[in-house]
Amino acid sequence: MMMIVLVALLALVVALGLAFWPWPGRAARSRHGAPPVASRSAPASLEGVLAAQLLGGEISARQYVRALERIAARDERRHPMSVPRDYRP
């Protein structure tokens, strides 16, 4: 009987500790319990900007694909892939 009481008391202490522990995400919440607004940082690449525009509804899926095709073509012109020579004896 004493063991059951000790286990229940220990579980209660752990539950209360977790409930009132100052987690980093909780400090930014308001008094009403609303989650903090995530800050949006600028995308680091052109593809990221295009993806953000697509998700934001600023461009259509067709415009997104065409823009990625142009980026790929530009990269191919700037940095063509060099194919190694065939060294067969």
Side-chain angles (χ1 to χ4, degrees):
M1 183 70 170
M2 186 66 163
M3 183 63 106
I4 294 173
V5 172
L6 285 175
V7 170
L9 184 61
L10 181 64
L12 180 63
V13 168
V14 170
L16 287 174
L18 289 175
F20 292 106
W21 189 262
W23 299 103
R26 281 192 198 164
R29 291 185 183 198
S30 67
R31 289 186 295 175
H32 301 294
V37 176
S39 64
R40 291 189 177 193
S41 61
S45 66
L46 182 56
E47 291 87 353
V49 171
L50 289 170
Q53 288 177 344
L54 177 66
L55 293 175
E58 297 174 27
I59 61 174
S60 67
R62 185 175 180 92
Q63 290 171 322
Y64 174 77
V65 170
R66 289 292 300 152
L68 287 182
E69 288 172 352
R70 287 192 300 269
I71 292 170
R74 183 192 66 193
D75 287 347
E76 180 64 29
R77 283 191 307 273
R78 288 183 181 175
H79 308 287
M81 186 174 81
S82 62
V83 179
R85 287 187 261 162
D86 190 11
Y87 289 108
R88 291 186 186 166

